[in-house]
């Protein structure tokens, strides 16, 4: 070796030194080996931790369309004007330099002034009082940054044509916590502002436009309950990375279809990684996974019918009416319209409203009587009142009731011109006048007495069994997070502690029975279509946003059968005829619903709402119907809280809807013809 | 018959290794400084790497000039140089003459063209003067007063450099002096007693630093105490007053993090280099400013090399230094007389101490003490003195034994 041979001879000290050198260098080599080879990964990850930031990029949300592809909910691009702080780094430093210089000059002046007063120069300790503390220097730095940012913002505002201000506290907070991200100065620029900005700026100057995708409901509050709303929520979903340094604003559905199908609508968030330097400024960015857009939802809703229902409610009862309308296709259970009033603007929950609008909506939202957030079509239990009599009627007919047999309704001694019936010792009022009633007349005049005796004849068990076949007391599984099951006494319930008086209540749709308008639409559809109880279908299919995408479409099959009521065709025919009479006969309570050219079968209802002392405090009015009589296709259920009567309050709304249905039916072939001829 | 084999005048191997080190120095000072936008705006002849090359040229010139005369002549002037350096060291402590350049230590004298750092030159002057003093006959070294005089020779610059304060530069004097005394033939027992005594003092010092309550602590500059505490991994909150609020403890911890910052960043730089490094000028630690720009090109230049060239690069650097050191030892072995041997050994130990402390600092086996890496760190005084020291070794080699 180099040296050792020569040293072997007679230089023990040099040998010793050589050995020490070797040992020292080996220690260094061992240390370097440990750090650079063995622990390399650990240090590399430390490097990445301090130098890399990850950003979660939310994906574009899927659209919600009606059955003919018309848009109910979509996204709009919002352009925000933001400051890119890494471009302003040098200006910050320069501004701080200037401020510091003037601060030092001021300090020197102060010292000179004090010295002059004392007539001597200050000692080191006394001078120390004048030195700037770190907090003061920090405040100076913040002030210099705010000054630079303000001037940039003012310049940008002048060019864009709108005076802009900078909130110092907010800016400093952003600087401290999210320096690598752009600082938004003006949100949601309109087209003119964007044009002016692009025209006057060509790179540099630290400000640029930022694109944000925001949910937009082009039809305002149409189908607001059904669609639901979003709230701000940027947490990670299942199957996503759970750690991100920053998260861009994202939203999640809370109720309605937005919530029930949130997973399909939201797509998959992407991620971007940023390299930051030791001060936190962004150096470069790298898109690490693209966000995947969500899928579109196609509902079974028909926008024309939905709008007609909502417009009719407003026209007849005003915007604050507490009501619900459900239109269903009886052949397969498709929900063609589901309206609930009063509504709340979905933009309230995502800060899309101006401050006064927001205050107004908030006042409505907290009103205990209005309760606009409830979807009255599916989320509230109501006493059905007389519309429940169709079930009683069918049960009685199946039990052998002769529809032609007349029943004598006795006069009410305390109410002249009105009938009554005694069940045990209890008297139940009848709105129909005393006289002879067969099935048809009883239905069209909605006679309580007739149906109570019919129900008692059929027996409560038969009624309950039939009601269970109609799936009353069960939810419809819409996955909108807005459903209640209603209430129907079970067989066990009617076997103990149950009296004839309770049965009588059930016969007139009061007492322990409560339903939702959607459930009644299923009932009436079943009666209309010959006895099949369908699962209501709200979503027709889920398809990719991009038409040329290779992703598959998920179809939800129509006409899923839930149950069959097992009632004879004869009973149903009798029922249909009776219901037709209700709207077409002069005596019928549903006369207001009649639309020339369409034969409608209907039933009105007025249920009493009692308080805990059994005093009547309110009425729930109903109109449940289907049409056309010859070949039933549409079922319409209208419910209005605090109405005067089913016939007076709800039937006119039904009329408007059926008018629209007729219009669509007649115009559709005309349109096709016109298209074919051109 | 036989003809005398022409001997090499200069030690080629050492010079090749030096050339390698100078090349690496230029390349990595370039890499370390060119990430700074202020630097790229200068014209190329004003840039730091070029200035380093100028120092190299000047240093080579000085070394060549030294080799012209026999080292015995130089040795005659050694004490003049020594006392001149002592004067400079005293001068640098005077407030308006010595400058701190913002480092909190008064180490430089600003001359018109050059920032003169006397401690660097003092080390070389000490080697020469010490070798001269110790080259007297070994019997004289047995006398205690000669022993104490040689200790004094070492202590004077040590104390002065320590006052600046510059702990690192002062520390390298100790092993250098010790090794020179060993090789000179100072009796073992003196040296053993000295080493034991110093060892005891050092342990007491460290124990006081780490464990003593506030009243018993030896006065020392705060930042030096902090550096040593970081090295020993001592938690600052250990020294908090009993009634410290959580906010104050938090601030102490934050200060510890800030103080440990340089070391942590250096470790991350070195560690993330891996086996082959990230490539010249591809080091992210440096480019992103995590390795502080102020120290990247001098005290922590090794981190830059380690990050960019990896373990392979580190081994190359250590090999180059090893070549310089071992050829130096060979020179010592072949020196004509005791003076030559002592000078060569002194220079070798001096360079080795610098290398060990600096690289050790980068990988946290030594506390941060601000010692430059010879020839690789940027710094005029350091480069000049390293090359002068090597020039001395070459001088001894040129005038070595005839057989």
């Amino acid at each position: 070796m180099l040296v050792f041979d020569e040293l072997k001879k007679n230089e023990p000290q040099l040998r010793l030194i050589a050995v020490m050198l070797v040992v020292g260098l080996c220690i260094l080599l061992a240390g370097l080996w440990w750090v650079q080879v063995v622990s390399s990964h650990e240090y590399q990850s430390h490097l990445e931790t301090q130098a890399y930031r990850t950003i979660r990029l939310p994906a574009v949300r899927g659209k919600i369309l009606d059955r003919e592809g018309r848009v109910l909910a979509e996204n709009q691009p919002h352009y925000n004007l933001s400051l890119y702080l890494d471009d302003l780094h040098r200006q910050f430093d320069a501004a701080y330099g200037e401020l510091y210089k003037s601060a030092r000059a001021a300090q020197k002046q102060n010292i000179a002034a004090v010295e002059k007063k004392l007539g001597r120069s200050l000692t080191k300790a006394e001078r120390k009082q004048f030195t700037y503390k770190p907090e003061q220097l920090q405040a100076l730095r913040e002030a210099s940054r705010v000054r630079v940012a303000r001037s940039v913002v003012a310049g940008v505002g002048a060019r864009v044509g709108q005076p802009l201000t900078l909130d110092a506290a907010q800016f400093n907070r952003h600087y401290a916590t999210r320096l690598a991200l752009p600082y938004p100065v003006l949100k949601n620029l309109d087209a003119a502002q964007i044009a002016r900005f692009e025209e006057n700026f060509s790179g540099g100057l630290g400000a640029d436009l930022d694109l944000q995708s925001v949910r937009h409901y082009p039809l305002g509050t149409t189908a607001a309950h059904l669609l639901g709303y979003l709230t701000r929520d940027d947490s990670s979903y299942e199957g996503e990375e759970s750690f991100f340094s920053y998260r861009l604003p994202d939203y999640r559905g809370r109720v309605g279809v937005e919530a029930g199908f949130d997973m399909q609508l939201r797509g998959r968030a992407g991620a971007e990684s940023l390299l930051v330097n030791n001060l936190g400024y962004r150096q470069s960015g790298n898109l690490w996974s693209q966000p995947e857009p969500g899928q579109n939802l196609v509902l079974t809703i028909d926008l024309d019918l939905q709008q007609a229902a909502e417009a009719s409610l407003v026209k007849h009862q005003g915007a604050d009416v507490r009501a619900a309308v459900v239109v269903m296709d009886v052949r397969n259970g498709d929900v063609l319209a589901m309206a609930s009033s009063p509504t709340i603007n979905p933009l309230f929950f995502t800060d899309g409203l101006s401050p006064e609008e927001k205050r107004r909506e908030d006042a409505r939202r907290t009103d205990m009587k209005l309760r606009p957030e409830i979807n009255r079509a599916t989320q509230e239990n109501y006493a059905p009142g007389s519309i429940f009599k169709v079930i009683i009627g069918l049960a009685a007919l199946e039990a052998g009731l002769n529809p032609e047999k007349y029943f004598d309704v006795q006069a009410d001694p305390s109410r002249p011109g009105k009938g009554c019936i005694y069940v045990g010792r209890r008297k139940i009022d009848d709105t129909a006048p005393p006289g002879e009633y067969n099935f048809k007349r009883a239905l069209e005049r909605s006679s309580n007495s007739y149906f109570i005796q019919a129900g008692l004849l059929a027996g409560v068990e038969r009624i309950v069994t039939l009601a269970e076949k109609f799936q009353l007391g069960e939810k419809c599984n819409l996955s909108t997070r807005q459903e209640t099951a209603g209430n129907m006494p079970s067989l066990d319930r009617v076997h103990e502690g149950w009296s004839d008086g309770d049965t009588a209540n059930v016969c007139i749709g009061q007492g322990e029975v409560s339903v939702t308008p959607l459930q009644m639409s299923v009932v009436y559809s079943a009666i209309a279509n010959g006895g099949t109880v369908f699962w209501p279908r709200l979503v027709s299919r889920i398809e990719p946003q991009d038409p040329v995408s290779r992703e598959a479409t998920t179809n939800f099959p129509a006409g899923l059968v839930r149950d069959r009521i097992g009632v004879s065709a004869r009973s149903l025919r009798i029922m249909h005829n009776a219901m037709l009479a209700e709207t077409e006969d002069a005596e019928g309570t549903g006369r207001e619903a009649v639309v020339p050219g369409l034969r409608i079968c209907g039933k009105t209802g007025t249920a009493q709402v009692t308080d805990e002392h059994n005093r009547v405090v309110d009425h729930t009015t109903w109109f449940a119907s289907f049409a056309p009589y010859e070949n039933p296709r549409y079922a319409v259920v209208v419910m209005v809280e605090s109405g005067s009567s089913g016939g007076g309050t709800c039937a006119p709304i039904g009329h408007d809807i059926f008018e629209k249905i007729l219009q669509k039916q007649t115009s559709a072939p005309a349109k096709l013809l016109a298209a074919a001829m051109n | 018959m036989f003809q005398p084999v022409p001997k090499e005048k200069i030690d080629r191997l050492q010079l090749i290794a030096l050339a390698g080190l100078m090349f690496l120095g230029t390349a990595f000072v370039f890499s370390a400084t060119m990430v700074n936008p202020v630097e790229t705006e200068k014209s190329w002849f004003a840039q730091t790497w070029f200035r380093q090359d100028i120092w190299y040229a000047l240093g080579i010139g000085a070394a060549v000039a030294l080799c012209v005369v026999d080292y015995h002549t130089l040795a005659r002037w050694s004490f003049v140089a020594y006392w001149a350096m002592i004067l400079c060291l005293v001068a640098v402590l005077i407030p308006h003459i010595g400058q701190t350049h913002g480092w909190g230590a008064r180490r430089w004298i600003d001359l018109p063209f050059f920032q003169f750092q006397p401690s660097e030159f003092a080390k070389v002057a000490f080697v020469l003067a010490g070798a001269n003093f110790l080259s007297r006959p070994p019997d004289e070294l047995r006398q205690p007063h000669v022993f104490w005089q040689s200790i004094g020779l070492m202590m004077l610059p040590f104390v002065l450099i320590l006052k600046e304060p510059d702990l690192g530069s002062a520390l390298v004097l100790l092993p250098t002096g010790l090794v020179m005394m060993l090789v000179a033939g100072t009796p073992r027992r003196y040296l053993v007693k000295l080493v034991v005594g110093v060892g005891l003092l050092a342990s007491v010092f460290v124990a006081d630093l780490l464990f003593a309550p506030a009243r018993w602590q030896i006065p020392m500059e705060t930042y030096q105490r902090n550096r040593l505490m970081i090295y020993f991994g001592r938690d600052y909150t250990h020294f908090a007053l009993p009634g410290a609020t959580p906010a104050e403890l938090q601030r102490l911890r934050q200060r510890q993090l800030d103080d440990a910052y340089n070391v942590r960043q250096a470790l991350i730089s070195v560690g993330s280099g891996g086996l082959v490094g990230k490539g010249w000028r591809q080091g992210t630690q440096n480019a992103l400013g995590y390795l502080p720009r102020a120290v990247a090109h001098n005290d922590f230049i090794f981190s830059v090399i380690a990050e960019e060239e990896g373990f392979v690069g580190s081994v190359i650097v250590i090999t180059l230094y090893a070549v310089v050191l071992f050829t130096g030892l060979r020179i010592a072995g072949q020196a004509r007389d005791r003076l030559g041997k002592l000078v060569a050994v002194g220079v070798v130990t001096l360079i080795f101490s610098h290398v060990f402390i600096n690289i050790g600092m980068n990988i946290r086996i030594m506390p941060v003490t601000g010692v430059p890496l010879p020839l690789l760190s940027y710094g005029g005084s350091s480069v000049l003195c390293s090359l002068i020291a090597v020039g001395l070794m070459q001088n001894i080699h040129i005038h070595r034994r005839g057989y």
Side-chain angles (χ1 to χ4, degrees), chain B residues 55 109-117 121 379-382 384:
Chain B
W55 289 117
I109 295 177
D110 278 346
L111 298 176
F113 45 87
F114 172 38
Q115 283 165 2
F116 172 64
Q117 195 175 359
F121 290 93
S381 308
S382 164
L384 273 185

Side-chain angles (χ1 to χ4, degrees), chain A residues 264 295 539-544 552-556:
Chain A
Q264 289 86 353
Q295 295 174 297
V539 178
S540 162
R541 58 183 184 280
I542 301 177
E543 53 188 24
T553 303
T554 313
N555 279 306
F556 293 96

Side-chain angles (χ1 to χ4, degrees), chain A residues 388-536:
Chain A
F388 198 73
K389 287 176 182 159
V390 295
I391 298 178
I392 308 296
L394 281 177
L397 285 171
E398 289 292 295
L401 176 73
N402 182 355
E404 293 311 320
K405 180 159 170 236
Y406 278 89
F407 173 77
D408 191 26
V409 171
Q410 63 186 139
D412 187 343
S414 52
R415 295 179 314 142
K418 302 271 183 212
C420 74
I421 186 172
Y422 283 91
V423 177
R425 272 176 299 153
R426 187 171 141 224
K427 176 176 76 123
I428 297 177
D429 291 345
D430 198 340
T431 48
E436 303 273 317
Y437 287 85
N438 64 357
F439 190 85
K440 186 154 98 129
R441 192 176 177 229
L443 194 76
E444 75 185 14
R445 297 237 47 174
S446 198
S447 164
N448 290 348
S449 317
Y450 183 92
F451 282 98
I452 287 174
Q453 64 86 27
L456 288 171
L457 183 93
V460 68
E461 284 186 17
R462 241 199 211 99
I463 296 171
V464 165
T465 318
L466 183 59
E468 282 181 357
K469 290 221 188 76
F470 276 114
Q471 305 298 325
L472 290 177
E474 300 286 334
K475 287 194 185 173
C476 297
N477 290 348
L478 284 181
S479 65
T480 54
R481 298 192 200 160
Q482 292 171 322
E483 267 203 275
T484 57
N487 192 36
M488 191 65 214
S490 63
L491 280 174
D492 290 336
R493 171 76 190 97
V494 305
H495 281 151
E496 55 180 291
W498 190 265
S499 68
D500 280 351
D502 296 320
T503 309
N505 278 339
V506 168
C507 292
I508 56 173
Q510 307 271 175
E512 286 186 23
V513 181
S514 61
V515 297
T516 68
L518 182 68
Q519 285 174 330
M520 289 318 289
S521 69
V522 172
V523 167
Y524 276 75
S525 298
I527 294 176
N529 69 29
T532 313
V533 178
F534 288 107
W535 286 99

